Amino acid sequence: MRGDSRVALDPWGEAKVEDYEKLCKEFGIQFVKPLLPEFRDPPAFIRRGVVFGHRDLVVVLNAAKRGEPFAVMSGIKPTGDFHLGSLLTMKEIVYFQKLGGFGVYCIADVEAYEDNNIPFEESRLIAVDNIADALALGFDPRRGYIYRQSREPRVKDLAYLFGKGVTLATITAIYGERHLGLYMSALIQVADILLPQLSDFGGPKPTVIPVGVDQDPHIRFARDIAHRFRDRLGFIPPAATYHKIMRGLDGSPKMSKRSPMSYFTLNEDLDSVKWKLMNAYTGGRATAKEQRELGGIPEQCCIYELCLFHFLEDDDKLVEMYRRCRSGEVLCGECKAEVVELVLGFLRDHQERRRGFIDQAIKIVEEGEREPSYL
């Protein structure tokens, strides 16, 4: 879990990263920026360094260039509606799918049970909503696979197999001391990550896992397992991309479901979202007079960060937003009002599309419950 006593990455805790450069150095993560020329039509979140780090991504980009098989795999704990972190991960999956990748999306209900005490029947209902969100955001099930951990026998079989190759000392070194249920869910997540390389999905292939950087322990664990079982199953160590952690709308280090004012979901009532945005933390000055004279501080502003991460695809418009803030040309209330319209317009469109995918999401969940075992 630790590179040293100064930095910790905990996939089950509250992540806080103050220095991404130091983090990359300590954990051996490479920066994405030097690879930008290798991307085909990179979206804003890649161009701007929101997706900042990677492991072995060049292997996947090369496969995409050559038209060779590769996969993109990630997932979500079914603890509630999609939020902005889920949105970013799904945007990455859709991007790599469009590059030619086979998309695999996991509903991590075992982890939700072990980490959040959510019963499987409850997570099944949440899974329907999460899958509808994924489909509405562009996930193509014709070129992919969606499943629940608890209902995928291949994942469970792989986890049992991997367990024979892992000592308690190894797993403790990665995650620290945890209850055994979390260690089991970690093994299952490694099985999720390597699932696209089974013969049922075309055999071993480069696979990229888009995650927040706090999930890096799972990636390192999966890469270690892939090396250990390479001779037996032919696994290629999975690649990964890491995105930055968004601050809460209230100025907290991370959006958290424990603090409703720090985030909003993609299915939230629009009036509620508007209220949260209009009350969000900004980099504004104490008075309008000071703002006009000194300008704002967009680097501290959660509204600017929303646009940087999600809601302004046009780089020129983002630069102009930054300039107007810095120069004092615009006050925070005026800027918020403009961004509110952007966000609410996106949510209206998404919520309408999402409703159209509910029946298909129910069908995907029901079909997943009839999956046979293959190993």
Side-chain angles (χ1 to χ4, degrees), residues 58-105:
V58 68
V59 176
V60 171
L61 294 177
N62 285 341
K65 276 185 178 181
R66 294 190 292 258
E68 296 172 353
F70 74 94
V72 54
M73 185 277 156
S74 198
I76 185 175
K77 281 196 298 182
T79 57
D81 287 329
F82 260 39
H83 49 72
L84 295 177
S86 313
L87 172 61
L88 185 53
T89 300
M90 185 49 62
K91 283 180 176 179
E92 282 200 75
I93 293 175
V94 170
Y95 171 72
F96 283 110
Q97 257 198 329
K98 288 179 178 178
L99 289 184
F102 181 80
V104 177
Y105 195 59

Short mmCIF file of all heavy atoms in Angstrom, two decimals, residues 58-105:
data_model
loop_
_atom_site.label_atom_id
_atom_site.label_comp_id
_atom_site.label_asym_id
_atom_site.label_seq_id
_atom_site.Cartn_x
_atom_site.Cartn_y
_atom_site.Cartn_z
N VAL A 58 1.67 2.15 -23.79
CA VAL A 58 2.16 2.13 -25.16
C VAL A 58 1.86 0.79 -25.84
O VAL A 58 1.63 0.73 -27.06
CB VAL A 58 3.68 2.45 -25.21
CG1 VAL A 58 4.50 1.32 -24.57
CG2 VAL A 58 4.13 2.72 -26.63
N VAL A 59 1.80 -0.29 -25.06
CA VAL A 59 1.49 -1.61 -25.63
C VAL A 59 0.08 -1.61 -26.21
O VAL A 59 -0.17 -2.16 -27.30
CB VAL A 59 1.64 -2.71 -24.55
CG1 VAL A 59 1.22 -4.07 -25.09
CG2 VAL A 59 3.07 -2.75 -24.03
N VAL A 60 -0.84 -0.99 -25.51
CA VAL A 60 -2.23 -0.91 -25.96
C VAL A 60 -2.36 0.04 -27.15
O VAL A 60 -3.05 -0.26 -28.14
CB VAL A 60 -3.15 -0.47 -24.80
CG1 VAL A 60 -4.57 -0.17 -25.29
CG2 VAL A 60 -3.18 -1.55 -23.72
N LEU A 61 -1.71 1.20 -27.08
CA LEU A 61 -1.78 2.15 -28.18
C LEU A 61 -1.19 1.56 -29.45
O LEU A 61 -1.71 1.80 -30.56
CB LEU A 61 -1.05 3.44 -27.79
CG LEU A 61 -1.67 4.25 -26.65
CD1 LEU A 61 -0.80 5.46 -26.32
CD2 LEU A 61 -3.09 4.70 -27.00
N ASN A 62 -0.13 0.79 -29.32
CA ASN A 62 0.45 0.14 -30.50
C ASN A 62 -0.49 -0.89 -31.10
O ASN A 62 -0.62 -1.00 -32.32
CB ASN A 62 1.79 -0.52 -30.14
CG ASN A 62 2.91 0.48 -29.96
OD1 ASN A 62 2.82 1.62 -30.43
ND2 ASN A 62 3.97 0.08 -29.27
N ALA A 63 -1.16 -1.65 -30.23
CA ALA A 63 -2.14 -2.63 -30.73
C ALA A 63 -3.27 -1.93 -31.47
O ALA A 63 -3.71 -2.39 -32.54
CB ALA A 63 -2.69 -3.46 -29.57
N ALA A 64 -3.74 -0.80 -30.93
CA ALA A 64 -4.81 -0.04 -31.59
C ALA A 64 -4.35 0.47 -32.95
O ALA A 64 -5.09 0.41 -33.95
CB ALA A 64 -5.25 1.12 -30.71
N LYS A 65 -3.12 0.96 -33.03
CA LYS A 65 -2.58 1.47 -34.30
C LYS A 65 -2.51 0.37 -35.36
O LYS A 65 -2.79 0.60 -36.54
CB LYS A 65 -1.18 2.03 -34.08
CG LYS A 65 -1.13 3.46 -33.58
CD LYS A 65 0.31 3.92 -33.53
CE LYS A 65 0.41 5.36 -33.08
NZ LYS A 65 1.83 5.82 -33.05
N ARG A 66 -2.12 -0.82 -34.93
CA ARG A 66 -1.93 -1.92 -35.88
C ARG A 66 -3.23 -2.68 -36.17
O ARG A 66 -3.24 -3.60 -36.99
CB ARG A 66 -0.87 -2.89 -35.34
CG ARG A 66 0.53 -2.30 -35.26
CD ARG A 66 1.57 -3.37 -34.97
NE ARG A 66 1.43 -3.92 -33.62
CZ ARG A 66 2.20 -3.57 -32.58
NH1 ARG A 66 3.16 -2.67 -32.75
NH2 ARG A 66 2.03 -4.12 -31.41
N GLY A 67 -4.30 -2.30 -35.49
CA GLY A 67 -5.56 -3.00 -35.68
C GLY A 67 -5.58 -4.37 -35.05
O GLY A 67 -6.37 -5.24 -35.46
N GLU A 68 -4.73 -4.58 -34.05
CA GLU A 68 -4.66 -5.87 -33.36
C GLU A 68 -5.62 -5.90 -32.17
O GLU A 68 -6.00 -4.85 -31.64
CB GLU A 68 -3.23 -6.12 -32.89
CG GLU A 68 -2.24 -6.24 -34.03
CD GLU A 68 -0.80 -6.31 -33.56
OE1 GLU A 68 -0.56 -6.12 -32.35
OE2 GLU A 68 0.09 -6.53 -34.40
N PRO A 69 -6.03 -7.09 -31.72
CA PRO A 69 -6.97 -7.18 -30.60
C PRO A 69 -6.39 -6.58 -29.32
O PRO A 69 -5.22 -6.78 -29.00
CB PRO A 69 -7.19 -8.69 -30.44
CG PRO A 69 -6.81 -9.28 -31.75
CD PRO A 69 -5.70 -8.41 -32.28
N PHE A 70 -7.22 -5.83 -28.61
CA PHE A 70 -6.90 -5.38 -27.26
C PHE A 70 -8.21 -5.17 -26.53
O PHE A 70 -9.30 -5.20 -27.14
CB PHE A 70 -6.04 -4.11 -27.28
CG PHE A 70 -6.77 -2.84 -27.65
CD1 PHE A 70 -7.30 -2.00 -26.68
CD2 PHE A 70 -6.92 -2.49 -28.99
CE1 PHE A 70 -7.97 -0.84 -27.03
CE2 PHE A 70 -7.58 -1.33 -29.35
CZ PHE A 70 -8.10 -0.49 -28.37
N ALA A 71 -8.13 -5.00 -25.24
CA ALA A 71 -9.33 -4.83 -24.43
C ALA A 71 -9.18 -3.64 -23.50
O ALA A 71 -8.07 -3.22 -23.18
CB ALA A 71 -9.62 -6.10 -23.62
N VAL A 72 -10.31 -3.10 -23.09
CA VAL A 72 -10.36 -2.09 -22.04
C VAL A 72 -11.32 -2.60 -20.98
O VAL A 72 -12.41 -3.06 -21.29
CB VAL A 72 -10.79 -0.71 -22.59
CG1 VAL A 72 -12.10 -0.78 -23.36
CG2 VAL A 72 -10.88 0.31 -21.46
N MET A 73 -10.89 -2.56 -19.73
CA MET A 73 -11.69 -3.15 -18.66
C MET A 73 -11.69 -2.22 -17.45
O MET A 73 -10.66 -1.69 -17.04
CB MET A 73 -11.10 -4.51 -18.28
CG MET A 73 -11.90 -5.31 -17.25
SD MET A 73 -11.58 -4.84 -15.54
CE MET A 73 -13.13 -5.39 -14.80
N SER A 74 -12.86 -2.01 -16.87
CA SER A 74 -12.94 -1.31 -15.58
C SER A 74 -14.27 -1.67 -14.94
O SER A 74 -14.98 -2.56 -15.42
CB SER A 74 -12.79 0.21 -15.76
OG SER A 74 -12.46 0.82 -14.52
N GLY A 75 -14.62 -1.00 -13.86
CA GLY A 75 -15.85 -1.35 -13.17
C GLY A 75 -16.26 -0.32 -12.15
O GLY A 75 -15.62 0.73 -11.99
N ILE A 76 -17.33 -0.63 -11.45
CA ILE A 76 -17.87 0.28 -10.44
C ILE A 76 -18.46 -0.53 -9.29
O ILE A 76 -19.04 -1.60 -9.50
CB ILE A 76 -18.97 1.18 -11.06
CG1 ILE A 76 -19.47 2.21 -10.05
CG2 ILE A 76 -20.13 0.35 -11.59
CD1 ILE A 76 -20.47 3.20 -10.61
N LYS A 77 -18.27 -0.03 -8.09
CA LYS A 77 -18.99 -0.62 -6.96
C LYS A 77 -20.44 -0.11 -7.01
O LYS A 77 -20.67 1.09 -7.07
CB LYS A 77 -18.36 -0.19 -5.62
CG LYS A 77 -17.13 -0.95 -5.25
CD LYS A 77 -16.76 -0.78 -3.78
CE LYS A 77 -16.45 0.66 -3.42
NZ LYS A 77 -16.04 0.79 -2.00
N PRO A 78 -21.44 -1.01 -6.96
CA PRO A 78 -22.83 -0.57 -7.01
C PRO A 78 -23.30 -0.05 -5.64
O PRO A 78 -24.01 -0.73 -4.91
CB PRO A 78 -23.58 -1.85 -7.42
CG PRO A 78 -22.74 -2.95 -6.86
CD PRO A 78 -21.32 -2.48 -6.96
N THR A 79 -22.87 1.15 -5.33
CA THR A 79 -23.24 1.77 -4.06
C THR A 79 -24.22 2.92 -4.24
O THR A 79 -24.63 3.54 -3.27
CB THR A 79 -21.99 2.30 -3.33
OG1 THR A 79 -21.31 3.23 -4.18
CG2 THR A 79 -21.04 1.17 -2.99
N GLY A 80 -24.58 3.22 -5.50
CA GLY A 80 -25.50 4.31 -5.78
C GLY A 80 -25.38 4.73 -7.23
O GLY A 80 -24.74 4.06 -8.05
N ASP A 81 -26.01 5.85 -7.57
CA ASP A 81 -26.00 6.34 -8.94
C ASP A 81 -24.60 6.76 -9.38
O ASP A 81 -23.74 7.08 -8.56
CB ASP A 81 -26.95 7.54 -9.08
CG ASP A 81 -28.41 7.13 -9.04
OD1 ASP A 81 -28.73 6.02 -9.48
OD2 ASP A 81 -29.24 7.95 -8.57
N PHE A 82 -24.41 6.80 -10.69
CA PHE A 82 -23.16 7.30 -11.26
C PHE A 82 -22.88 8.72 -10.77
O PHE A 82 -23.78 9.55 -10.70
CB PHE A 82 -23.27 7.33 -12.79
CG PHE A 82 -22.63 6.17 -13.49
CD1 PHE A 82 -22.71 4.88 -12.97
CD2 PHE A 82 -21.96 6.35 -14.68
CE1 PHE A 82 -22.13 3.82 -13.63
CE2 PHE A 82 -21.38 5.29 -15.35
CZ PHE A 82 -21.46 4.02 -14.82
N HIS A 83 -21.61 8.97 -10.46
CA HIS A 83 -21.18 10.32 -10.09
C HIS A 83 -20.08 10.73 -11.07
O HIS A 83 -19.86 10.07 -12.09
CB HIS A 83 -20.70 10.34 -8.64
CG HIS A 83 -19.73 9.25 -8.30
ND1 HIS A 83 -18.43 9.23 -8.75
CD2 HIS A 83 -19.90 8.09 -7.60
CE1 HIS A 83 -17.82 8.14 -8.33
NE2 HIS A 83 -18.68 7.42 -7.63
N LEU A 84 -19.37 11.81 -10.77
CA LEU A 84 -18.42 12.34 -11.74
C LEU A 84 -17.19 11.46 -11.91
O LEU A 84 -16.58 11.43 -12.98
CB LEU A 84 -18.01 13.76 -11.34
CG LEU A 84 -19.15 14.78 -11.40
CD1 LEU A 84 -18.68 16.14 -10.91
CD2 LEU A 84 -19.72 14.89 -12.79
N GLY A 85 -16.80 10.73 -10.87
CA GLY A 85 -15.70 9.77 -11.02
C GLY A 85 -16.10 8.63 -11.94
O GLY A 85 -15.32 8.20 -12.80
N SER A 86 -17.31 8.12 -11.79
CA SER A 86 -17.82 7.07 -12.68
C SER A 86 -17.89 7.58 -14.11
O SER A 86 -17.58 6.84 -15.06
CB SER A 86 -19.22 6.63 -12.24
OG SER A 86 -19.29 6.39 -10.85
N LEU A 87 -18.30 8.83 -14.27
CA LEU A 87 -18.41 9.43 -15.59
C LEU A 87 -17.05 9.43 -16.30
O LEU A 87 -16.95 9.07 -17.48
CB LEU A 87 -18.94 10.86 -15.46
CG LEU A 87 -18.95 11.73 -16.73
CD1 LEU A 87 -19.82 11.11 -17.81
CD2 LEU A 87 -19.42 13.14 -16.40
N LEU A 88 -16.01 9.82 -15.59
CA LEU A 88 -14.68 9.89 -16.20
C LEU A 88 -14.19 8.51 -16.62
O LEU A 88 -13.67 8.33 -17.74
CB LEU A 88 -13.69 10.54 -15.24
CG LEU A 88 -12.27 10.79 -15.78
CD1 LEU A 88 -12.31 11.58 -17.08
CD2 LEU A 88 -11.44 11.52 -14.73
N THR A 89 -14.37 7.52 -15.76
CA THR A 89 -13.96 6.16 -16.10
C THR A 89 -14.70 5.66 -17.34
O THR A 89 -14.11 5.06 -18.24
CB THR A 89 -14.20 5.21 -14.92
OG1 THR A 89 -13.43 5.65 -13.79
CG2 THR A 89 -13.81 3.79 -15.27
N MET A 90 -16.01 5.90 -17.39
CA MET A 90 -16.78 5.43 -18.54
C MET A 90 -16.39 6.17 -19.81
O MET A 90 -16.36 5.57 -20.90
CB MET A 90 -18.28 5.59 -18.26
CG MET A 90 -19.17 5.00 -19.36
SD MET A 90 -18.75 3.31 -19.87
CE MET A 90 -18.99 2.41 -18.34
N LYS A 91 -16.06 7.45 -19.72
CA LYS A 91 -15.58 8.16 -20.90
C LYS A 91 -14.32 7.51 -21.46
O LYS A 91 -14.15 7.38 -22.68
CB LYS A 91 -15.28 9.62 -20.55
CG LYS A 91 -16.49 10.53 -20.42
CD LYS A 91 -16.01 11.94 -20.06
CE LYS A 91 -17.13 12.95 -20.01
NZ LYS A 91 -16.63 14.31 -19.65
N GLU A 92 -13.44 7.07 -20.57
CA GLU A 92 -12.22 6.40 -21.01
C GLU A 92 -12.54 5.06 -21.68
O GLU A 92 -11.96 4.71 -22.72
CB GLU A 92 -11.28 6.17 -19.84
CG GLU A 92 -10.50 7.39 -19.41
CD GLU A 92 -9.28 6.99 -18.60
OE1 GLU A 92 -8.30 6.49 -19.19
OE2 GLU A 92 -9.33 7.16 -17.37
N ILE A 93 -13.43 4.29 -21.07
CA ILE A 93 -13.79 3.00 -21.66
C ILE A 93 -14.36 3.19 -23.05
O ILE A 93 -13.98 2.49 -24.00
CB ILE A 93 -14.80 2.26 -20.76
CG1 ILE A 93 -14.16 1.88 -19.43
CG2 ILE A 93 -15.35 1.02 -21.46
CD1 ILE A 93 -15.11 1.27 -18.43
N VAL A 94 -15.26 4.16 -23.19
CA VAL A 94 -15.88 4.42 -24.50
C VAL A 94 -14.83 4.87 -25.51
O VAL A 94 -14.86 4.45 -26.67
CB VAL A 94 -17.01 5.47 -24.34
CG1 VAL A 94 -17.50 5.94 -25.70
CG2 VAL A 94 -18.17 4.89 -23.54
N TYR A 95 -13.88 5.69 -25.07
CA TYR A 95 -12.82 6.15 -25.97
C TYR A 95 -12.01 4.96 -26.49
O TYR A 95 -11.77 4.83 -27.71
CB TYR A 95 -11.91 7.14 -25.27
CG TYR A 95 -10.67 7.50 -26.07
CD1 TYR A 95 -10.77 8.30 -27.20
CD2 TYR A 95 -9.42 7.01 -25.71
CE1 TYR A 95 -9.63 8.61 -27.95
CE2 TYR A 95 -8.29 7.32 -26.45
CZ TYR A 95 -8.41 8.12 -27.58
OH TYR A 95 -7.30 8.41 -28.32
N PHE A 96 -11.59 4.08 -25.59
CA PHE A 96 -10.78 2.93 -26.03
C PHE A 96 -11.61 1.94 -26.84
O PHE A 96 -11.08 1.26 -27.73
CB PHE A 96 -10.12 2.25 -24.83
CG PHE A 96 -8.93 2.99 -24.30
CD1 PHE A 96 -8.97 3.64 -23.07
CD2 PHE A 96 -7.75 3.04 -25.03
CE1 PHE A 96 -7.87 4.32 -22.57
CE2 PHE A 96 -6.64 3.72 -24.56
CZ PHE A 96 -6.70 4.37 -23.33
N GLN A 97 -12.91 1.84 -26.54
CA GLN A 97 -13.77 1.02 -27.39
C GLN A 97 -13.78 1.55 -28.82
O GLN A 97 -13.71 0.79 -29.78
CB GLN A 97 -15.20 0.99 -26.84
CG GLN A 97 -15.58 -0.28 -26.12
CD GLN A 97 -17.09 -0.44 -25.98
OE1 GLN A 97 -17.83 0.53 -25.87
NE2 GLN A 97 -17.52 -1.68 -25.97
N LYS A 98 -13.86 2.87 -28.95
CA LYS A 98 -13.90 3.48 -30.28
C LYS A 98 -12.58 3.30 -31.03
O LYS A 98 -12.54 3.33 -32.25
CB LYS A 98 -14.26 4.96 -30.17
CG LYS A 98 -15.72 5.19 -29.79
CD LYS A 98 -16.06 6.66 -29.65
CE LYS A 98 -17.53 6.86 -29.32
NZ LYS A 98 -17.86 8.30 -29.12
N LEU A 99 -11.48 3.13 -30.27
CA LEU A 99 -10.19 2.85 -30.91
C LEU A 99 -10.11 1.40 -31.39
O LEU A 99 -9.15 1.03 -32.07
CB LEU A 99 -9.05 3.10 -29.93
CG LEU A 99 -8.73 4.56 -29.57
CD1 LEU A 99 -7.50 4.61 -28.67
CD2 LEU A 99 -8.53 5.42 -30.79
N GLY A 100 -11.11 0.59 -31.03
CA GLY A 100 -11.13 -0.80 -31.47
C GLY A 100 -11.06 -1.83 -30.36
O GLY A 100 -11.02 -3.03 -30.63
N GLY A 101 -11.07 -1.37 -29.12
CA GLY A 101 -10.94 -2.29 -27.99
C GLY A 101 -12.24 -3.01 -27.64
O GLY A 101 -13.33 -2.47 -27.83
N PHE A 102 -12.10 -4.22 -27.13
CA PHE A 102 -13.23 -4.97 -26.59
C PHE A 102 -13.46 -4.46 -25.17
O PHE A 102 -12.56 -4.49 -24.33
CB PHE A 102 -12.93 -6.47 -26.59
CG PHE A 102 -14.05 -7.32 -26.07
CD1 PHE A 102 -15.13 -7.63 -26.87
CD2 PHE A 102 -14.03 -7.81 -24.77
CE1 PHE A 102 -16.17 -8.41 -26.40
CE2 PHE A 102 -15.06 -8.59 -24.28
CZ PHE A 102 -16.14 -8.90 -25.10
N GLY A 103 -14.66 -3.98 -24.88
CA GLY A 103 -14.95 -3.37 -23.58
C GLY A 103 -15.51 -4.35 -22.58
O GLY A 103 -16.48 -5.06 -22.89
N VAL A 104 -14.93 -4.40 -21.40
CA VAL A 104 -15.44 -5.25 -20.32
C VAL A 104 -15.74 -4.36 -19.13
O VAL A 104 -14.87 -3.61 -18.68
CB VAL A 104 -14.41 -6.34 -19.94
CG1 VAL A 104 -14.93 -7.17 -18.77
CG2 VAL A 104 -14.11 -7.23 -21.13
N TYR A 105 -16.99 -4.44 -18.63
CA TYR A 105 -17.40 -3.57 -17.53
C TYR A 105 -17.97 -4.41 -16.40
O TYR A 105 -18.92 -5.18 -16.60
CB TYR A 105 -18.43 -2.55 -18.00
CG TYR A 105 -18.62 -1.42 -17.02
CD1 TYR A 105 -17.55 -0.60 -16.67
CD2 TYR A 105 -19.86 -1.17 -16.45
CE1 TYR A 105 -17.71 0.43 -15.77
CE2 TYR A 105 -20.02 -0.12 -15.56
CZ TYR A 105 -18.95 0.67 -15.22
OH TYR A 105 -19.10 1.70 -14.33
#
